[in-house]
Amino acid sequence: MNSLKSMDEITIDPMRFRRALGNFTTGVTIMTAQNEQGEKVGVTANSFNSVSLDPPLILWSIDKKSSSFPVFEQASHFAVNILSGSQIELSNKFSRRNIDKYEDTRYQTGVGQAPILDHCSAVFECERHDIIEGGDHWIIIGKVVNFRDEGRSPLVYHQGAYSGVIPHPLLQLKDTVEVEEDLGQLHQGHLYSNVCYLMSRAFKFYQTDYIPKQLVTGFRTSEARLLLVLGSGTASNKADLPRDIAMPMREVEQAASILQKDGLLIESNGFFKLTEKGKKTAHYLFDIADSHQNEVFAKYSTNEKEIFIKILKDIAGIM
């Protein structure tokens, strides 16, 4: 009979250990700080976690060999920038060494001069509370003094790869069943033949699965719609955009402002045009839309699909 090894005899393989830790899905953050001398640092990290609600404390860890640690140690404050699904490039940029990470990076200055990155899912501004030794890392604890919640779908990291967040299929199935049961008593008379009711309900159910897939990209619905409309070339002028995007001009202009700052579009002769980066992003969004549409229409023939689209165009007044 084999005897169990004592704890002292067990050897932990660092690579296998790291791979096993990768099974725990995390968000992706960029930690930023600035010392009194004006030195700015920023590092990509997924070791962020909450500690306490009262007082509001969070923590993260940084490699003892990191050249950025002295600034985090000196700075009175730091910021936790939780990245959105559209910020993979920014995550990669801040994970590199020996480059100016803030060159062409859009940010504001927060409490204690800590850089606050634009268009994140959320940001926590923290006062340095404590630094604790943790093996080959320093554990930095911060007291949250301010925060903002942008509501963007977060960037996710799992098994060494970026990913995104969508509702679990079982939850969607549960919601569908509950809706069916709630509506069961209402399906009387001619309700199933009422076009307005059917179109409204079909749109709701179509959006239930589609919108989460779109939000995974990190773009708000208004931003994604603007990219799709500009990518399709359906709007001939700026005044057509609210009609095609189905949103007020104020929201269209807000979305355009954000996309413009991200280098996805420019304004030319009173109209918005996609940059090359914007065209690639729109193509990516079209792939998501087409993939979902193909899933929905998989059980219908090509002819049935074409007839359905023709009827919708006719009802919508699209030639």
Side-chain angles (χ1 to χ4, degrees):
M1 183 174 180
N2 295 329
S3 60
L4 295 175
K5 289 185 177 181
S6 67
M7 293 300 294
D8 292 337
E9 294 177 309
I10 296 176
T11 301
I12 300 294
D13 183 312
M15 292 303 296
R16 292 182 62 193
F17 180 53
R18 185 172 184 175
R19 193 178 304 118
L21 290 174
N23 288 302
F24 183 69
T25 303
T26 69
V28 183
T29 72
I30 293 179
M31 302 294 179
T32 55
Q34 182 171 188
N35 61 17
E36 291 184 356
Q37 291 71 45
E39 294 178 277
K40 294 190 294 292
V41 292
V43 297
T44 300
N46 66 343
S47 55
F48 168 73
N49 210 334
S50 61
V51 176
S52 167
L53 293 178
D54 186 17
L57 300 177
I58 59 89
L59 65 74
W60 67 287
S61 61
I62 184 171
D63 194 317
K64 286 183 175 179
K65 298 176 184 177
S66 173
S67 59
S68 299
F69 174 69
V71 175
F72 283 108
E73 185 179 32
Q74 297 158 9
S76 61
H77 295 74
F78 65 89
V80 182
N81 301 272
I82 298 180
L83 300 189
S84 70
S86 65
Q87 295 178 307
I88 290 177
E89 289 183 11
L90 198 62
S91 172
N92 289 335
K93 181 179 183 180
F94 275 78
S95 67
R96 299 189 189 109
R97 298 180 179 179
N98 304 318
I99 66 167
D100 182 356
K101 299 176 181 179
Y102 288 94
E103 183 179 4
D104 298 326
T105 297
R106 301 192 63 85
Y107 67 92
Q108 313 295 321
T109 302
V111 180
Q113 300 301 302
I116 307 297
L117 305 180
D118 288 357
H119 311 321
C120 293
S121 289
V123 176
F124 296 92
E125 298 178 68
C126 304
E127 176 185 280
R128 179 167 47 79
H129 182 73
D130 201 358
I131 297 179
I132 302 171
E133 187 173 9
D136 56 9
H137 278 60
W138 292 110
I139 300 171
I140 301 178
I141 300 175
K143 181 179 180 181
V144 179
V145 295
N146 192 24
F147 71 92
R148 64 194 70 177
D149 182 356
E150 299 295 337
R152 295 173 180 273
S153 184
L155 184 62
V156 173
Y157 199 68
H158 175 249
Q159 286 289 22
Y162 292 116
S163 186
V165 178
I166 60 173
H168 195 284
L170 288 180
L171 292 178
Q172 295 181 50
L173 178 61
K174 181 176 182 292
D175 291 341
T176 301
V177 171
E178 289 177 350
V179 171
E180 290 284 358
E181 292 175 349
D182 291 341
L183 292 175
Q185 300 301 316
L186 299 177
H187 296 165
Q188 304 294 330
H190 298 289
L191 192 58
Y192 274 148
S193 301
N194 185 283
V195 173
C196 182
Y197 166 76
L198 290 174
M199 289 180 64
S200 175
R201 187 175 177 198
F203 180 72
K204 176 183 176 182
F205 274 77
Y206 191 91
Q207 293 269 77
T208 298
D209 290 335
Y210 170 60
I211 292 299
K213 296 175 183 177
Q214 187 185 81
L215 291 177
V216 164
T217 63
F219 294 105
R220 291 193 176 99
T221 300
S222 58
E223 296 160 12
R225 287 184 183 177
L226 180 55
L227 286 167
L228 289 169
V229 168
L230 293 177
S232 65
T234 55
S236 57
N237 57 66
K238 197 171 180 178
D240 289 341
L241 291 174
R243 177 202 67 194
D244 289 355
I245 301 176
M247 289 184 176
M249 178 59 82
R250 178 178 57 83
E251 292 190 31
V252 173
E253 290 178 336
Q254 287 178 349
S257 176
I258 291 172
L259 296 176
Q260 196 166 5
K261 290 177 181 178
D262 287 346
L264 297 173
L265 62 79
I266 58 174
E267 188 167 359
S268 176
N269 298 322
F271 190 64
F272 301 123
K273 294 183 179 180
L274 295 181
T275 62
E276 286 304 312
K277 180 180 178 182
K279 291 176 182 177
K280 290 180 181 178
T281 304
H283 182 74
Y284 171 49
L285 290 170
F286 273 118
D287 284 345
I288 293 175
D290 291 343
S291 175
H292 182 69
Q293 181 171 300
N294 291 336
E295 288 178 16
V296 172
F297 284 94
K299 61 182 179 181
Y300 302 102
S301 69
T302 301
N303 186 52
E304 288 174 322
K305 175 183 174 182
E306 290 176 350
I307 291 173
F308 179 74
I309 292 175
K310 183 178 183 301
I311 293 173
L312 286 180
K313 285 183 176 180
D314 187 53
I315 294 174
I318 299 173
M319 303 299 292

